[in-house]
């Protein structure tokens, strides 16, 4: 049946929430958009008048589409070249969803999106719906066709899996910028010692090139190893400029709620490095350089003025 104007408007009003749920479930903006569009096609094909609670119906359809997608995604990631990291989103992207509570902000952080890869599809769905969107377990149970008690058990198990024993430190934008600027000053100093002082002892650095851009298959672990890598990363060379397509302009911003370094060449984002900050120092660098996962960020970047770059790398 053809949708009425009211039916379409109702879906479009709920679209931002659906996209935010799908992004957290899949870790990919492009796949989230596809899942939401497929949900719209299902909405278009159903008899809308028979749907008692449209938002609940749409959430159930979307979530189950994402669960199916997660199953096939896991198989693809087993053959993925190097580390798989989520697609980053810059501050202001509506797909980041609600950010009113610490739990909502945490659920979309780059660190937690990465940790959620440990979860089973059902655990991820329960965790996202409960932690990020505050759905009651009764409604989550209806979405996943499980009991309310099972939803509660799955949620507690998922929270335990996601917790990594490190308390995330929430900082304001000004403080985040100071930390990143201090890091960049140390990274471009040509010395390892200033970097080591900024890092936690168990700091890690991970890169995702997707087999299209060079990225080390094994993570760097430990403050000295990470500091040595970062010092080398910001050391200019013709080879690096050739890979990036030029000398990147480096900006400081936030991505997924975390302090981030964005590298841009001729208006094209070639890298987003998210920093995980704790009370002890910088605990992780997660660097997305796979061009397939930077298309949305590049579009966002072109739509806003970011002022002068902090420095030119390489």
């Amino acid at each position: 049946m053809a949708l009425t104007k009211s039916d379409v408007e109702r879906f479009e009003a709920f679209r931002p929430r659906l996209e935010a749920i799908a992004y957290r479930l899949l870790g990919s903006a492009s796949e989230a958009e596809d899942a939401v569009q497929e949900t719209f096609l299902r909405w278009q094909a159903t008899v809308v008048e028979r749907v008692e609670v449209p938002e609940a119906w749409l959430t159930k359809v979307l979530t189950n589409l994402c669960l199916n997608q997660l199953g096939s995604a896991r198989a693809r990631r087993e053959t993925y070249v190097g580390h798989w990291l989520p697609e980053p989103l810059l501050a202001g992207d509506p797909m980041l969803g609600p950010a009113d509570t610490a739990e909502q902000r945490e659920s979309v952080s780059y660190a937690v999106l990465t940790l959620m890869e440990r979860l089973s599809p059902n655990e991820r769905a329960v965790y996202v719906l409960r932690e990020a969107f505050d759905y009651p377990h009764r409604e989550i149970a209806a979405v996943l066709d499980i009991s309310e008690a099972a939803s509660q058990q799955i949620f507690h198990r998922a929270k335990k899996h996601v917790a990594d024993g490190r308390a995330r430190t929430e900082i304001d934008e000004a403080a985040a910028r100071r930390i990143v600027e201090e890091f960049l000053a140390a990274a471009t100093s040509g010395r390892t010692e200033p970097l080591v002082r900024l890092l936690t002892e168990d700091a890690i650095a991970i890169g995702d090139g997707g087999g299209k851009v060079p990225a080390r298959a094994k993570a760097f672990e430990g403050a000295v190893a990470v500091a040595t890598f970062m010092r080398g990363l910001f050391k200019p060379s013709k080879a690096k400029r050739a890979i990036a397509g030029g000398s990147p302009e480096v900006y400081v911003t936030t991505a997924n709620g975390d302090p981030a370094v964005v590298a841009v060449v001729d208006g094209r984002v070639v890298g987003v490095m998210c920093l995980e900050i704790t009370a002890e120092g910088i605990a992780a660098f997660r660097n997305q350089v796979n061009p397939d996962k930077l298309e949305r960020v590049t579009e966002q970047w072109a739509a806003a003025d970011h002022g002068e770059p902090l420095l030119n790398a390489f």
Side-chain angles (χ1 to χ4, degrees):
M1 291 182 64
L3 295 178
T4 66
K5 181 181 178 181
S6 176
D7 294 335
V8 174
E9 289 176 345
R10 185 154 197 175
F11 181 90
E12 291 303 324
F14 201 56
R15 182 186 287 271
R17 188 176 184 88
L18 293 174
E19 289 186 342
I21 292 172
Y23 173 67
R24 283 169 168 82
L25 288 175
L26 300 172
S28 165
S30 58
E31 291 179 4
E33 288 176 335
D34 290 344
V36 172
Q37 187 58 28
E38 179 60 29
T39 302
F40 176 75
L41 295 177
R42 302 283 180 94
W43 176 246
Q44 193 174 40
T46 195
V47 181
V48 173
E49 291 80 2
R50 297 179 184 175
V51 178
E52 294 183 7
V53 185
E55 287 78 6
W57 187 93
L58 292 168
T59 301
K60 180 166 185 169
V61 170
L62 174 81
T63 300
N64 283 283
L65 286 170
C66 290
L67 291 180
N68 291 336
Q69 179 73 8
L70 281 172
S72 59
R74 282 174 181 259
R76 291 198 308 273
R77 287 169 195 171
E78 288 178 2
T79 60
Y80 193 82
V81 179
H83 287 278
W84 183 94
L85 290 175
E87 186 176 341
L89 298 179
L90 299 181
D93 191 314
M95 198 174 280
L96 289 171
D100 299 324
T101 68
E103 290 78 13
Q104 289 172 337
R105 293 188 292 274
E106 178 86 357
S107 71
V108 81
S109 72
Y110 219 52
V112 168
L113 285 176
T114 303
L115 287 168
M116 279 199 285
E117 289 295 303
R118 301 176 180 179
L119 305 181
S120 70
N122 262 19
E123 286 174 337
R124 189 162 184 162
V126 172
Y127 181 84
V128 166
L129 292 174
R130 180 62 182 163
E131 191 79 347
F133 297 92
D134 201 28
Y135 279 82
H137 284 289
R138 172 179 48 80
E139 293 183 18
I140 297 173
V143 166
L144 298 176
D145 292 323
I146 58 178
S147 69
E148 188 171 345
S151 176
Q152 292 170 338
Q153 291 171 355
I154 291 171
F155 176 67
H156 290 305
R157 187 165 66 241
K159 284 202 73 170
K160 184 177 180 181
H161 287 325
V162 169
D164 65 347
R166 180 185 290 125
R168 182 169 178 260
T169 302
E170 289 209 57
I171 54 177
D172 60 32
E173 188 172 344
R177 184 176 181 86
R178 287 196 300 272
I179 292 170
V180 178
E181 288 177 348
E182 190 175 359
F183 156 69
L184 288 173
T188 55
S189 70
R191 298 168 54 232
T192 303
E193 294 79 8
L195 275 167
V196 171
R197 288 196 292 269
L198 295 175
L199 309 179
T200 61
E201 289 185 7
D202 60 348
I204 62 169
I206 305 171
D208 178 351
K212 299 185 177 184
V213 175
R216 192 169 185 260
K218 185 178 180 182
F220 291 92
E221 300 181 2
V224 174
V226 171
T228 302
F229 165 67
M230 289 296 169
R231 184 190 66 189
L233 179 65
F234 284 91
K235 185 177 181 180
S237 76
K238 290 183 179 178
K240 291 173 189 169
R241 287 192 290 272
I243 292 171
S247 180
E249 296 177 333
V250 176
Y251 296 82
V252 178
T253 185
T254 58
N256 293 76
D258 293 322
V261 175
V262 175
V264 182
V265 175
D266 296 330
R268 175 175 56 91
V269 176
V270 297
V272 177
M273 180 186 291
C274 293
L275 282 66
E276 182 182 347
I277 310 296
T278 72
E280 291 74 36
I282 304 173
F285 299 88
R286 296 181 176 89
N287 192 20
Q288 184 56 262
V289 292
N290 183 344
D292 293 343
K293 298 182 182 182
L294 296 173
E295 292 178 358
R296 185 181 179 96
V297 166
T298 295
E299 290 177 5
Q300 284 184 284
W301 194 263
D305 179 18
H306 303 279
E308 294 299 315
L310 191 64
L311 58 90
N312 282 80
F314 310 160

mmCIF file of all heavy atoms in Angstrom, residues 26-28 31 73 76-77 80-87 110 113-114 117 124 206-209 288 290 293:
data_model
loop_
_atom_site.group_PDB
_atom_site.id
_atom_site.type_symbol
_atom_site.label_atom_id
_atom_site.label_comp_id
_atom_site.label_asym_id
_atom_site.label_seq_id
_atom_site.Cartn_x
_atom_site.Cartn_y
_atom_site.Cartn_z
ATOM 1 N N LEU A 26 26.152 -1.255 14.365
ATOM 2 C CA LEU A 26 26.986 -1.719 13.258
ATOM 3 C C LEU A 26 28.383 -1.103 13.220
ATOM 4 O O LEU A 26 29.283 -1.663 12.597
ATOM 5 C CB LEU A 26 26.275 -1.438 11.931
ATOM 6 C CG LEU A 26 24.910 -2.121 11.754
ATOM 7 C CD1 LEU A 26 24.231 -1.613 10.485
ATOM 8 C CD2 LEU A 26 25.060 -3.633 11.729
ATOM 9 N N GLY A 27 28.550 0.072 13.845
ATOM 10 C CA GLY A 27 29.858 0.724 13.809
ATOM 11 C C GLY A 27 30.208 1.299 12.453
ATOM 12 O O GLY A 27 31.352 1.645 12.192
ATOM 13 N N SER A 28 29.213 1.404 11.581
ATOM 14 C CA SER A 28 29.427 1.897 10.220
ATOM 15 C C SER A 28 28.279 2.815 9.841
ATOM 16 O O SER A 28 27.112 2.404 9.881
ATOM 17 C CB SER A 28 29.512 0.728 9.235
ATOM 18 O OG SER A 28 29.372 1.168 7.900
ATOM 19 N N GLU A 31 26.576 1.510 6.505
ATOM 20 C CA GLU A 31 25.723 0.347 6.741
ATOM 21 C C GLU A 31 24.492 0.729 7.549
ATOM 22 O O GLU A 31 23.406 0.160 7.358
ATOM 23 C CB GLU A 31 26.517 -0.753 7.450
ATOM 24 C CG GLU A 31 27.589 -1.384 6.572
ATOM 25 C CD GLU A 31 28.372 -2.460 7.298
ATOM 26 O OE1 GLU A 31 28.040 -2.766 8.467
ATOM 27 O OE2 GLU A 31 29.328 -2.994 6.706
ATOM 28 N N ALA A 73 28.679 -9.493 8.944
ATOM 29 C CA ALA A 73 29.831 -8.606 9.147
ATOM 30 C C ALA A 73 30.944 -9.327 9.889
ATOM 31 O O ALA A 73 32.130 -9.134 9.589
ATOM 32 C CB ALA A 73 29.404 -7.360 9.925
ATOM 33 N N ARG A 76 32.915 -11.300 7.471
ATOM 34 C CA ARG A 76 33.770 -10.456 6.636
ATOM 35 C C ARG A 76 34.984 -9.972 7.407
ATOM 36 O O ARG A 76 36.082 -9.878 6.869
ATOM 37 C CB ARG A 76 32.988 -9.247 6.109
ATOM 38 C CG ARG A 76 31.920 -9.586 5.083
ATOM 39 C CD ARG A 76 31.513 -8.334 4.301
ATOM 40 N NE ARG A 76 31.146 -7.241 5.168
ATOM 41 C CZ ARG A 76 29.932 -7.053 5.658
ATOM 42 N NH1 ARG A 76 28.971 -7.921 5.402
ATOM 43 N NH2 ARG A 76 29.670 -6.003 6.411
ATOM 44 N N ARG A 77 34.790 -9.674 8.691
ATOM 45 C CA ARG A 77 35.893 -9.120 9.473
ATOM 46 C C ARG A 77 36.958 -10.164 9.791
ATOM 47 O O ARG A 77 38.082 -9.818 10.135
ATOM 48 C CB ARG A 77 35.344 -8.476 10.750
ATOM 49 C CG ARG A 77 34.623 -7.164 10.442
ATOM 50 C CD ARG A 77 33.845 -6.628 11.614
ATOM 51 N NE ARG A 77 32.903 -5.585 11.163
ATOM 52 C CZ ARG A 77 31.970 -5.052 11.917
ATOM 53 N NH1 ARG A 77 31.810 -5.447 13.160
ATOM 54 N NH2 ARG A 77 31.163 -4.120 11.429
ATOM 55 N N TYR A 80 39.276 -9.488 7.141
ATOM 56 C CA TYR A 80 39.634 -8.081 6.994
ATOM 57 C C TYR A 80 41.143 -7.917 7.142
ATOM 58 O O TYR A 80 41.773 -8.555 7.999
ATOM 59 C CB TYR A 80 38.908 -7.256 8.066
ATOM 60 C CG TYR A 80 38.942 -5.760 7.863
ATOM 61 C CD1 TYR A 80 38.058 -5.139 6.997
ATOM 62 C CD2 TYR A 80 39.848 -4.969 8.557
ATOM 63 C CE1 TYR A 80 38.063 -3.760 6.829
ATOM 64 C CE2 TYR A 80 39.869 -3.595 8.395
ATOM 65 C CZ TYR A 80 38.975 -2.996 7.527
ATOM 66 O OH TYR A 80 38.989 -1.631 7.357
ATOM 67 N N VAL A 81 41.729 -7.069 6.328
ATOM 68 C CA VAL A 81 43.168 -6.856 6.384
ATOM 69 C C VAL A 81 43.508 -5.940 7.548
ATOM 70 O O VAL A 81 43.085 -4.780 7.580
ATOM 71 C CB VAL A 81 43.682 -6.240 5.065
ATOM 72 C CG1 VAL A 81 45.192 -5.991 5.142
ATOM 73 C CG2 VAL A 81 43.348 -7.161 3.898
ATOM 74 N N GLY A 82 44.242 -6.459 8.529
ATOM 75 C CA GLY A 82 44.637 -5.657 9.685
ATOM 76 C C GLY A 82 43.515 -5.497 10.700
ATOM 77 O O GLY A 82 42.567 -6.267 10.737
ATOM 78 N N HIS A 83 43.626 -4.446 11.512
ATOM 79 C CA HIS A 83 42.627 -4.174 12.547
ATOM 80 C C HIS A 83 41.377 -3.553 11.931
ATOM 81 O O HIS A 83 41.463 -2.711 11.043
ATOM 82 C CB HIS A 83 43.187 -3.216 13.603
ATOM 83 C CG HIS A 83 44.185 -3.839 14.503
ATOM 84 N ND1 HIS A 83 43.849 -4.599 15.604
ATOM 85 C CD2 HIS A 83 45.541 -3.831 14.462
ATOM 86 C CE1 HIS A 83 44.949 -5.018 16.199
ATOM 87 N NE2 HIS A 83 45.974 -4.568 15.524
ATOM 88 N N TRP A 84 40.212 -3.976 12.442
ATOM 89 C CA TRP A 84 38.961 -3.340 12.049
ATOM 90 C C TRP A 84 38.596 -2.326 13.127
ATOM 91 O O TRP A 84 38.534 -2.631 14.313
ATOM 92 C CB TRP A 84 37.836 -4.366 11.926
ATOM 93 C CG TRP A 84 36.542 -3.777 11.452
ATOM 94 C CD1 TRP A 84 36.095 -3.715 10.164
ATOM 95 C CD2 TRP A 84 35.532 -3.131 12.250
ATOM 96 N NE1 TRP A 84 34.879 -3.074 10.101
ATOM 97 C CE2 TRP A 84 34.508 -2.694 11.366
ATOM 98 C CE3 TRP A 84 35.396 -2.868 13.611
ATOM 99 C CZ2 TRP A 84 33.369 -2.041 11.807
ATOM 100 C CZ3 TRP A 84 34.270 -2.187 14.053
ATOM 101 C CH2 TRP A 84 33.267 -1.791 13.161
ATOM 102 N N LEU A 85 38.373 -1.078 12.708
ATOM 103 C CA LEU A 85 37.912 -0.031 13.614
ATOM 104 C C LEU A 85 36.626 0.567 13.064
ATOM 105 O O LEU A 85 36.391 0.551 11.854
ATOM 106 C CB LEU A 85 38.973 1.073 13.763
ATOM 107 C CG LEU A 85 40.241 0.721 14.531
ATOM 108 C CD1 LEU A 85 41.235 1.884 14.470
ATOM 109 C CD2 LEU A 85 39.927 0.371 15.985
ATOM 110 N N PRO A 86 35.783 1.114 13.932
ATOM 111 C CA PRO A 86 34.525 1.714 13.463
ATOM 112 C C PRO A 86 34.770 2.923 12.568
ATOM 113 O O PRO A 86 35.876 3.459 12.496
ATOM 114 C CB PRO A 86 33.828 2.132 14.773
ATOM 115 C CG PRO A 86 34.526 1.380 15.859
ATOM 116 C CD PRO A 86 35.918 1.191 15.389
ATOM 117 N N GLU A 87 33.712 3.338 11.903
ATOM 118 C CA GLU A 87 33.742 4.543 11.090
ATOM 119 C C GLU A 87 33.567 5.742 12.015
ATOM 120 O O GLU A 87 32.565 5.824 12.737
ATOM 121 C CB GLU A 87 32.608 4.484 10.067
ATOM 122 C CG GLU A 87 32.594 5.604 9.064
ATOM 123 C CD GLU A 87 31.506 5.425 8.012
ATOM 124 O OE1 GLU A 87 31.013 4.284 7.835
ATOM 125 O OE2 GLU A 87 31.139 6.428 7.378
ATOM 126 N N TYR A 110 34.615 6.034 20.621
ATOM 127 C CA TYR A 110 35.343 5.119 19.741
ATOM 128 C C TYR A 110 35.819 3.893 20.518
ATOM 129 O O TYR A 110 35.825 2.779 19.992
ATOM 130 C CB TYR A 110 36.532 5.864 19.137
ATOM 131 C CG TYR A 110 36.787 5.514 17.691
ATOM 132 C CD1 TYR A 110 35.769 5.569 16.744
ATOM 133 C CD2 TYR A 110 38.048 5.132 17.266
ATOM 134 C CE1 TYR A 110 36.007 5.249 15.414
ATOM 135 C CE2 TYR A 110 38.294 4.821 15.941
ATOM 136 C CZ TYR A 110 37.264 4.874 15.017
ATOM 137 O OH TYR A 110 37.500 4.547 13.707
ATOM 138 N N LEU A 113 32.700 1.575 21.078
ATOM 139 C CA LEU A 113 32.297 0.950 19.819
ATOM 140 C C LEU A 113 33.257 -0.180 19.455
ATOM 141 O O LEU A 113 32.844 -1.216 18.925
ATOM 142 C CB LEU A 113 32.268 1.985 18.695
ATOM 143 C CG LEU A 113 31.103 2.973 18.692
ATOM 144 C CD1 LEU A 113 31.282 3.981 17.564
ATOM 145 C CD2 LEU A 113 29.766 2.259 18.556
ATOM 146 N N THR A 114 34.533 0.016 19.736
ATOM 147 C CA THR A 114 35.519 -1.029 19.465
ATOM 148 C C THR A 114 35.329 -2.201 20.409
ATOM 149 O O THR A 114 35.357 -3.371 19.991
ATOM 150 C CB THR A 114 36.947 -0.462 19.599
ATOM 151 O OG1 THR A 114 37.103 0.660 18.717
ATOM 152 C CG2 THR A 114 37.984 -1.510 19.240
ATOM 153 N N GLU A 117 32.652 -4.908 19.804
ATOM 154 C CA GLU A 117 32.917 -5.993 18.854
ATOM 155 C C GLU A 117 33.069 -7.330 19.576
ATOM 156 O O GLU A 117 32.964 -8.384 18.966
ATOM 157 C CB GLU A 117 34.172 -5.686 18.044
ATOM 158 C CG GLU A 117 33.990 -4.561 17.040
ATOM 159 C CD GLU A 117 32.996 -4.916 15.953
ATOM 160 O OE1 GLU A 117 33.201 -5.937 15.274
ATOM 161 O OE2 GLU A 117 32.003 -4.186 15.792
ATOM 162 N N ARG A 124 24.939 -7.000 22.048
ATOM 163 C CA ARG A 124 25.145 -5.641 21.534
ATOM 164 C C ARG A 124 23.823 -4.899 21.431
ATOM 165 O O ARG A 124 23.730 -3.716 21.786
ATOM 166 C CB ARG A 124 25.835 -5.706 20.168
ATOM 167 C CG ARG A 124 26.291 -4.358 19.648
ATOM 168 C CD ARG A 124 27.325 -4.514 18.557
ATOM 169 N NE ARG A 124 27.842 -3.227 18.114
ATOM 170 C CZ ARG A 124 28.959 -3.065 17.437
ATOM 171 N NH1 ARG A 124 29.697 -4.117 17.129
ATOM 172 N NH2 ARG A 124 29.370 -1.864 17.060
ATOM 173 N N ILE A 206 46.467 1.763 17.556
ATOM 174 C CA ILE A 206 45.899 0.848 16.572
ATOM 175 C C ILE A 206 45.521 1.642 15.336
ATOM 176 O O ILE A 206 45.001 2.753 15.432
ATOM 177 C CB ILE A 206 44.639 0.143 17.123
ATOM 178 C CG1 ILE A 206 44.944 -0.570 18.440
ATOM 179 C CG2 ILE A 206 44.077 -0.848 16.116
ATOM 180 C CD1 ILE A 206 43.712 -1.086 19.147
ATOM 181 N N GLY A 207 45.758 1.072 14.170
ATOM 182 C CA GLY A 207 45.383 1.726 12.921
ATOM 183 C C GLY A 207 44.567 0.805 12.032
ATOM 184 O O GLY A 207 44.762 -0.411 12.033
ATOM 185 N N ASP A 208 43.629 1.388 11.287
ATOM 186 C CA ASP A 208 42.795 0.642 10.348
ATOM 187 C C ASP A 208 42.994 1.227 8.960
ATOM 188 O O ASP A 208 42.526 2.320 8.661
ATOM 189 C CB ASP A 208 41.323 0.739 10.773
ATOM 190 C CG ASP A 208 40.368 0.024 9.816
ATOM 191 O OD1 ASP A 208 40.809 -0.408 8.738
ATOM 192 O OD2 ASP A 208 39.177 -0.090 10.156
ATOM 193 N N GLY A 209 43.721 0.480 8.119
ATOM 194 C CA GLY A 209 43.925 0.908 6.742
ATOM 195 C C GLY A 209 43.101 0.118 5.761
ATOM 196 O O GLY A 209 43.052 0.440 4.573
ATOM 197 N N GLN A 288 41.918 5.917 12.157
ATOM 198 C CA GLN A 288 41.181 5.433 10.999
ATOM 199 C C GLN A 288 41.749 6.094 9.739
ATOM 200 O O GLN A 288 41.664 7.311 9.570
ATOM 201 C CB GLN A 288 39.688 5.759 11.131
ATOM 202 C CG GLN A 288 38.812 5.217 10.023
ATOM 203 C CD GLN A 288 38.936 3.725 9.839
ATOM 204 O OE1 GLN A 288 39.660 3.247 8.966
ATOM 205 N NE2 GLN A 288 38.234 2.975 10.699
ATOM 206 N N ASN A 290 41.414 4.141 6.591
ATOM 207 C CA ASN A 290 40.765 3.458 5.483
ATOM 208 C C ASN A 290 39.882 4.464 4.737
ATOM 209 O O ASN A 290 38.909 4.973 5.305
ATOM 210 C CB ASN A 290 39.916 2.292 6.010
ATOM 211 C CG ASN A 290 39.264 1.481 4.906
ATOM 212 O OD1 ASN A 290 39.176 1.919 3.761
ATOM 213 N ND2 ASN A 290 38.787 0.298 5.246
ATOM 214 N N LYS A 293 36.072 4.434 4.935
ATOM 215 C CA LYS A 293 35.424 4.803 6.187
ATOM 216 C C LYS A 293 35.570 6.294 6.511
ATOM 217 O O LYS A 293 35.228 6.725 7.615
ATOM 218 C CB LYS A 293 35.992 3.972 7.335
ATOM 219 C CG LYS A 293 35.748 2.479 7.185
ATOM 220 C CD LYS A 293 36.285 1.725 8.389
ATOM 221 C CE LYS A 293 36.086 0.224 8.244
ATOM 222 N NZ LYS A 293 36.556 -0.521 9.427
#
